Amino acid sequence: GTMKVLCGPRNVVVERTLTSSGVFLFQMGWGDLGAFGEPSKETPNLDQMAAEGMLFLDFYTASPLCSPSRAALLTGRLPVRNGFYTTNGHARNAYTPQEIVGGIPDSELLLPELLKKAGYTNKIIGKWHLGHRPQFHPLRHGFDEWFGSPNCHFGPYDSTERPNIPVYRDWDMAGRYYEDFKIDLKTGEANLTQLYLQEALDFISKQQASQQPFFLYWAIDATHAPVYASKQFLGTSQRGLYGDAVREIDDSVGKILKHLQQLGISENTFVFFTSDNGAALISAPKQGGSNGPFLCGKQTTFEGGMREPAIAWWPGHIPAGGVSHQLGSVMDLFSTSLSLAGLQPPSDRQIDGIDLLPVILQGKLIDRPIFYYRGNELMAVRAGLYKAHYWTWSNSWEEHSKGIDFCPGQSVAGVTTHTQEEHTYLPLLFHLGRDPGEKYPLSFASEEYQRAVEHISGLVQQHKATLVPGQPQLNVCDQAVMNWAPPGCEKLGKCLKAPESDPKKCSWPH
């Protein structure tokens, strides 16, 4: 989840109190929260956050998996613009495993870099995922503090073929997952969420004491397989280990919000909770979440892969109990956060995010499309309640026959296809109000179909006419760039010898 805390009311007075902001980013599905109808109702704090704030029912990520959507959140730009995609294959999902050579380009302007201009102190807690080589370090891209990791907590590794993933405290590594930061894969026990919670509470206290506006990006990954939870939460959920992890995250969010209230700064702290992609169903049901009524999950551009739970909370400003049908995107957190700080988005580049403050504070609805990209391909577009698919694909027959399934228990003929199907000339059209599960394509012959497709096709032409793709960052892999000797490894005696450099094209099967 991401927690975003920002500072600053919209109307700029001379003595403005800046609004801090927090983004909480998790990997969760739309159906994982009680507020969105999860049957076991095990998220009382997030449900209360929704009751005190605003629930977004039509909020999307910018990509069906982690790295590209995080890059989009922090730049306000689609991954195809900021370089977080691959051209090694058509419509492939790519991310930043240890062997990736690329990362966030210096030419991109990240939200924390811009917030510095308004005097913000910025901290990232948890997973960065925008490249792990020294030039991609978050403290080089606007963050002042970091406690967390550049990659996912995969492992344990043997340190000869692959190093274990480092955990950083600011510039230097503090240890490695599984070696110094224990995760028990048998029981699922790890106290990382508690460490990340304490980091957040301490950071907020410190900023409040020094009267500094702050931006906190709380991006913890306990619900990402291999799922973990700390001892006091293990075995407490009806939903198994995944539910234990969700309960611990829920408890942590509750403690952070309460902390803001106790410090008396909740009224000038804007907090946003969302996810970086739909729940991963490949690890379901034991380690998978719920995407509610939506089709498929992570890795796909069906609703289950990209529609996210989202809650905005800002007591005294956001009317309690609000529910919005605004089409929203994680990229909007970029523009909204700048707006809260009284800053303008950069004018020298295309920004895909919009400022949601009029929506959140005045209940307005802004007309805008949602673009569903998978790698270098525009797969689908949503405008209003209509969604047109220009390409459909869940995953290949070859991968599917190995047991990799992104749509377990769900198959819609002609929609959840195992070959890439092009529908450019006759898009598959769904009305997401009547059919949120994308099960009933509208008839090509109907007047409703023709009207909606004509409208969406115009939006697509406009979008493609001005699209200048960025230099793809996720094409090249090399064993030599893995986390062999991260900064600070000497002090800990944790440096490993890197193999010879051997750059290759990364293979992205999905």
Side-chain angles (χ1 to χ4, degrees):
T2 311
M3 168 163 174
K4 169 159 188 198
V5 183
L6 274 163
C7 276
R10 193 68 192 96
N11 45 340
V12 180
V13 200
V14 183
E15 293 195 281
R16 237 164 91 251
T17 53
L18 279 175
T19 300
S20 293
S21 74
V23 177
F24 299 167
L25 188 56
F26 307 94
Q27 163 138 3
M28 270 191 209
W30 195 90
D32 280 335
L33 275 58
F36 287 89
E38 202 287 312
S40 55
K41 288 270 188 280
E42 291 176 346
T43 53
N45 295 290
L46 287 163
D47 299 350
Q48 187 178 340
M49 181 184 182
E52 292 170 4
M54 178 174 272
L55 205 55
F56 284 87
L57 297 176
D58 298 84
F59 196 86
Y60 291 88
T61 178
S63 165
L65 82 172
C66 40
S67 306
S69 58
R70 287 160 193 259
L73 185 155
L74 290 172
T75 60
R77 285 152 57 78
L78 283 162
V80 72
R81 294 191 215 273
N82 65 35
F84 265 66
Y85 72 106
T86 183
T87 51
N88 288 355
H90 176 250
R92 300 301 162 123
N93 288 316
Y95 67 109
T96 52
Q98 288 201 65
E99 48 271 53
I100 203 80
V101 170
I104 194 73
D106 281 341
S107 54
E108 289 298 320
L109 285 172
L110 273 59
L111 176 59
E113 290 176 69
L114 297 165
L115 289 174
K116 269 190 172 345
K117 296 180 178 152
Y120 277 68
T121 302
N122 310 308
K123 178 156 189 161
I124 169 174
I125 297 173
K127 186 168 74 167
W128 166 239
H129 237 205
L130 300 190
H132 60 279
R133 294 166 66 212
Q135 64 266 43
F136 306 128
H137 194 295
L139 271 57
R140 287 229 161 109
H141 293 270
F143 284 101
D144 300 294
E145 297 181 22
W146 181 24
F147 180 70
S149 173
N151 310 80
C152 229
H153 59 275
F154 295 142
Y157 298 122
D158 60 5
S159 296
T160 56
E161 295 290 309
R162 300 181 84 77
N164 276 315
I165 306 291
V167 174
Y168 281 79
R169 155 100 39 222
D170 301 330
W171 285 107
D172 290 344
M173 73 180 283
R176 295 183 190 268
Y177 281 135
Y178 298 96
E179 296 170 17
D180 313 279
F181 294 88
K182 300 280 187 264
I183 302 170
D184 185 327
L185 293 183
K186 282 200 183 66
T187 63
E189 186 184 339
N191 70 339
L192 292 162
T193 302
Q194 293 304 308
L195 295 180
Y196 293 146
L197 167 61
Q198 200 51 51
E199 284 290 318
L201 299 175
D202 293 348
F203 174 71
I204 292 167
S205 298
K206 192 172 83 189
Q207 298 319 306
Q208 193 268 339
S210 63
Q211 302 290 294
Q212 275 286 109
F214 61 87
F215 169 66
L216 170 61
Y217 178 49
W218 200 58
I220 66 170
D221 65 351
T223 49
H224 191 299
V227 173
Y228 61 77
S230 56
K231 199 172 186 119
Q232 71 261 41
F233 290 92
L234 286 178
T236 62
S237 165
Q238 297 190 11
R239 305 177 65 197
L241 180 58
Y242 182 86
D244 297 341
V246 169
R247 290 200 60 213
E248 184 167 14
I249 288 171
D250 175 75
D251 180 77
S252 302
V253 171
K255 289 191 164 111
I256 292 171
L257 299 184
K258 197 169 170 192
H259 191 59
L260 291 168
Q261 285 168 320
Q262 286 168 343
L263 291 174
I265 54 172
S266 59
E267 295 208 354
N268 56 359
T269 307
F270 174 84
V271 182
F272 203 93
F273 169 93
T274 187
S275 173
D276 59 354
N277 44 249
L281 302 181
I282 178 174
S283 47
K286 283 219 161 130
Q287 299 212 345
S290 160
N291 294 316
F294 302 120
L295 187 61
C296 303
K298 178 179 176 176
Q299 305 261 15
T300 76
T301 48
F302 300 113
E303 292 296 286
M306 291 186 60
R307 199 186 299 205
E308 306 308 329
I311 303 167
W313 184 87
W314 188 15
H317 299 267
I318 298 178
V323 172
S324 177
H325 287 283
Q326 172 66 43
L327 299 192
S329 159
V330 292
M331 297 180 288
D332 301 342
L333 295 172
F334 175 88
S335 306
T336 307
S337 302
L338 290 177
S339 173
L340 280 163
L343 299 169
Q344 291 296 317
S347 56
D348 65 341
R349 60 199 63 211
Q350 180 70 44
I351 300 294
D352 297 292
I354 61 172
D355 177 5
L356 290 177
L357 285 187
V359 175
I360 293 169
L361 302 178
Q362 295 138 34
K364 293 201 168 151
L365 280 178
I366 299 165
D367 185 29
R368 64 90 73 89
I370 293 291
F371 297 109
Y372 301 71
Y373 270 89
R374 180 162 172 166
N376 56 353
E377 186 61 80
L378 178 61
M379 304 287 284
V381 178
R382 176 173 176 185
L385 288 166
Y386 293 100
K387 179 178 178 184
H389 290 266
Y390 292 89
W391 286 87
T392 50
W393 190 41
S394 60
N395 65 339
S396 66
W397 280 116
E398 187 195 358
E399 292 282 301
H400 191 256
S401 64
K402 292 182 197 161
I404 295 171
D405 192 350
F406 301 141
C407 311
Q410 293 179 310
S411 129
V412 180
V415 178
T416 55
T417 54
H418 292 294
T419 46
Q420 294 191 5
E421 297 293 329
E422 184 173 2
H423 310 279
T424 314
Y425 303 105
L426 267 186
L428 288 183
L429 185 74
F430 296 95
H431 184 288
L432 294 177
R434 303 192 294 259
D435 174 26
E438 295 167 287
K439 289 182 173 62
Y440 310 104
L442 272 74
S443 154
F444 297 137
S446 68
E447 199 186 316
E448 184 185 7
Y449 176 91
Q450 284 156 0
R451 227 181 19 241
V453 166
E454 193 178 347
H455 173 59
I456 294 178
S457 296
L459 298 171
V460 170
Q461 274 169 321
Q462 216 178 329
H463 171 69
K464 289 198 163 168
T466 59
L467 180 73
V468 182
Q471 185 69 37
Q473 294 293 312
L474 307 179
N475 281 353
V476 183
C477 286
D478 186 352
Q479 282 182 300
V481 305
M482 294 202 284
N483 293 289
W484 300 104
C489 66
E490 314 81 16
K491 291 178 237 172
L492 301 173
K494 288 261 168 196
C495 305
L496 301 167
K497 191 172 155 26
E500 291 289 299
S501 177
D502 180 20
K504 290 185 167 67
K505 269 180 128 176
C506 311
S507 147
W508 301 113
H510 307 306

